[in-house]
Amino acid sequence: MITLEYKLKGKAKQYQIIDDMIRTAQFVRNKALRYWIDNQGVKLVDLYKQCAVMAKEFEWARKLNSMARQASAERVIFAVQRFFANCKAKKPGKKGYPQFKKHTRSVEYKTSGWKLSTDKRCLTFTDGFTAGTFKLVGSRDLHFYASSEIKRVRVVRRADGYYVQFCINVERTEEISPTGKAIGIDVGLNHFYTDSNSEAVPNPRPLRKSEKALKRAQRKVSRKKKGSSNRKKAINKLGRRHLKVSRQRKDFAIKTALYVVKSNDFVAYEDLQVRNMVKNHKLAKSISDAAWSQFAQWLQYFGKVYGKTVITVNPQYTSQDCSACGNRVKKSLSVRTHICGCGAVLDRDHNAALNILALGLKQAGIILNTVGHTEINAWGQNDLYSLVVIKQR
C-alpha cells in the first residue's frame, strides 16, 4: 500500500463545504463511539448498521457518502482494538481508551463518493455535499495506477490548505545492488546518530532553530481578541510555522533513513522507548525534536522496499559495555568518552554503535568473515563490517 498526496485547488465556498464534510465525519465517529460505550461488545457490522440509522435520523448526515460514514465508524473499532491490545500487552501508563474527537481534520472515502477526471488531474466529490471539482496540484502522476487500485481517498485540512491522499493497493519494491556492508546505529542528542564506522550525522534541531519565530507568533495570537478575525489569522500563521517545522523534521528523517538503507545491507538500531524517555522534562523537547521514532519507522519501511535487513536490539547497557572486551564500564551521561582497562579509548556513541551492531548480528544469526580478525567487535577495525562473506545460519 502506497500513499500519494496532492493539494486541492478550489474556491473558498468549496473549502467551506469540505469543512462541513469533516464535521459530519466527526459527528458520525462520536455517535458510533457513544453506541459502543453504551453497548460494549458490539462489532463493526453493528456500527455499520448504526451509521444507516444515523442517516435516517439526521438528514444532513445523509449527505455524507455511505462508505465515508462507514470509514468513520471503522476509526472507532481501530481505537477499541488498539486499547485492548495495549491492555493485553500490559503496556505501562495510559492504555489509550477511545476518546471523543473535538478537532477532527480529515474525512475518508472508500471506493465511492468521488470521481477522477479522464486525465486524472481533477477530483470530483459526488456525494450529497456536492463540493464540486478540485484541481490536483502535485508532482506524482496517477496515470501509473488504475482507478480500481485506489482503495481510500482521504481529505486532510492543514494550516496551509486542503490536501487529498490516495491510498493505492500496490506493493512498492526497488532493486538495488548489494553493498556487502553492515552497520550499527546509536541515536543521540549531540549528534543525530553515530554509526559503527564512527561517522556522525549532525542533529538538525528544526524546532530549536525556529523557537524564536514560534514564540513571536504565539505572542501575536495571545494579544488578539478572542473570536476576532485577526486572531484567526494569527492562529493560522502560527499553525503554518509549526507545519514547516514538522515538514523539515520529516524530510530529514526520510532522507537520512534512505541513505542508511541504500548504503548498507544490514542495519541494526536501538529499540528505544521514546514514550518513557520524554517524561524527563529536561530532555523532552530535545528528544521530541530529534524524532527518533519517525526515523525508525522510515528505516523499517525502506528496508522492506529495498529488501534489506533492518533489525532492532535491546538498548540496555549498549553505552556501558566495552565493544572490545565486553567489560561493563559504568559512566554518566556527561561522560562522552569510553575508556576501558583493556586499552580501548573511543567516543561513547561509537562504542554503543559497535555494541548495537554486534547484538544485531547475533540476534539475526549472521556471521561475518572478518579475514584475519577473530572477533566481530574487534576494537578499532571499522572496515571489517564491509568485508567479504556474509553467511546466514
Side-chain angles (χ1 to χ4, degrees):
M1 187 76 72
I2 64 172
T3 303
L4 302 183
E5 184 174 279
Y6 301 85
K7 192 169 185 178
L8 291 176
K9 188 175 181 181
K11 298 179 180 180
K13 187 177 180 180
Q14 291 178 292
Y15 296 144
Q16 293 175 2
I17 296 175
I18 290 181
D19 289 336
D20 293 338
M21 293 159 55
I22 293 174
R23 280 193 293 267
T24 304
Q26 175 182 286
F27 172 80
V28 173
R29 182 202 176 277
N30 288 340
K31 289 286 285 185
L33 178 57
R34 170 51 62 188
Y35 184 77
W36 175 82
I37 293 174
D38 295 338
N39 307 275
Q40 290 198 14
V42 298
K43 298 182 180 179
L44 182 60
V45 178
D46 301 316
L47 293 186
Y48 283 165
K49 294 178 181 178
Q50 190 63 21
C51 289
V53 173
M54 277 186 275
K56 294 180 180 179
E57 186 177 355
F58 303 97
E59 185 178 353
W60 47 271
R62 196 184 312 160
K63 293 181 179 179
L64 190 65
N65 179 264
S66 60
M67 285 193 173
R69 296 195 299 267
Q70 292 178 1
S72 298
E74 287 174 3
R75 294 185 180 186
V76 175
I77 290 297
F78 294 152
V80 170
Q81 291 175 347
R82 183 171 58 249
F83 167 70
F84 283 120
N86 292 339
C87 292
K88 187 175 181 180
K90 296 182 179 179
K91 190 174 182 179
K94 294 182 179 180
K95 305 300 186 291
Y97 189 84
Q99 301 291 326
F100 294 101
K101 296 295 183 181
K102 187 178 180 181
H103 301 290
T104 304
R105 294 185 178 90
S106 65
V107 58
E108 188 173 87
Y109 289 78
K110 292 185 181 180
T111 54
S112 64
W114 56 272
K115 184 179 180 182
L116 280 171
S117 61
T118 53
D119 59 357
K120 294 187 177 180
R121 294 186 182 275
C122 294
L123 176 67
T124 304
F125 293 99
T126 59
D127 60 353
F129 280 102
T130 61
T133 301
F134 296 83
K135 185 179 179 181
L136 302 178
V137 180
S139 58
R140 301 294 296 272
D141 200 341
L142 278 170
H143 279 290
F144 295 104
Y145 311 103
S147 298
S148 58
E149 292 178 320
I150 301 175
K151 301 302 180 183
R152 300 268 174 162
V153 175
R154 186 183 300 114
V155 182
V156 183
R157 179 181 61 219
R158 297 199 178 104
D160 64 339
Y162 294 80
Y163 294 80
V164 61
Q165 297 173 345
F166 294 95
C167 298
I168 304 172
N169 188 25
V170 295
E171 291 296 330
R172 180 187 172 189
T173 55
E174 301 282 348
E175 293 185 3
I176 188 172
S177 56
T179 62
K181 296 181 181 180
I183 194 175
I185 291 177
D186 177 67
V187 294
L189 297 178
N190 188 22
H191 300 286
F192 181 73
Y193 78 74
T194 303
D195 62 25
S196 52
N197 298 323
S198 74
E199 294 182 5
V201 175
N203 197 337
R205 298 184 177 91
L207 179 61
R208 293 288 185 182
K209 293 178 180 179
S210 304
E211 209 163 15
K212 287 185 179 179
L214 288 169
K215 287 181 179 179
R216 193 181 306 116
Q218 183 64 60
R219 285 197 298 269
K220 289 182 179 180
V221 172
S222 301
R223 290 168 183 165
K224 299 295 186 293
K225 184 179 179 181
K226 290 187 177 181
S228 65
S229 59
N230 285 336
R231 184 180 176 89
K232 292 180 181 178
K233 292 178 182 178
I235 291 173
N236 183 260
K237 288 182 180 180
L238 176 63
R240 285 171 181 262
R241 289 194 178 275
H242 278 290
L243 187 61
K244 182 179 179 180
V245 172
S246 175
R247 285 171 173 168
Q248 287 175 335
R249 191 181 292 122
K250 181 180 179 181
D251 181 71
F252 177 80
I254 291 174
K255 290 179 178 178
T256 307
L258 180 61
Y259 168 77
V260 170
V261 171
K262 293 180 73 173
S263 304
N264 303 276
D265 290 341
F266 182 92
V267 180
Y269 68 94
E270 297 171 292
D271 185 16
L272 296 174
Q273 300 298 321
V274 179
R275 182 181 180 184
N276 296 332
M277 296 174 71
V278 294
K279 292 179 181 179
N280 184 343
H281 68 278
K282 294 182 179 180
L283 299 175
K285 185 185 291 185
S286 298
I287 292 173
S288 300
D289 197 17
W292 296 333
S293 298
Q294 194 174 45
F295 174 65
Q297 290 172 1
W298 284 105
L299 278 178
Q300 293 288 347
Y301 171 75
F302 286 125
K304 293 178 181 178
V305 170
Y306 289 94
K308 302 298 184 69
T309 303
V310 179
I311 196 168
T312 60
V313 301
N314 188 349
Q316 192 174 17
Y317 298 118
T318 53
S319 296
Q320 309 292 334
D321 293 345
C322 180
S323 58
C325 64
N327 290 331
R328 187 158 297 167
V329 182
K330 293 187 177 181
K331 56 184 87 67
S332 63
L333 285 173
S334 59
V335 179
R336 305 311 304 172
T337 303
H338 171 77
I339 303 175
C340 183
C342 68
V345 180
L346 67 164
D347 182 77
R348 174 197 181 104
D349 296 336
H350 182 202
N351 175 71
L354 291 170
N355 287 328
I356 291 168
L357 176 58
L359 288 171
L361 292 171
K362 183 179 179 181
Q363 187 172 322
I366 296 176
I367 302 175
L368 293 186
N369 183 355
T370 59
V371 188
H373 298 285
T374 57
E375 293 182 350
I376 290 176
N377 59 351
W379 171 75
Q381 303 297 332
N382 298 329
D383 58 340
L384 64 89
Y385 301 108
S386 59
L387 294 178
V388 227
V389 181
I390 296 181
K391 181 181 178 183
Q392 179 122 21
R393 287 178 180 172

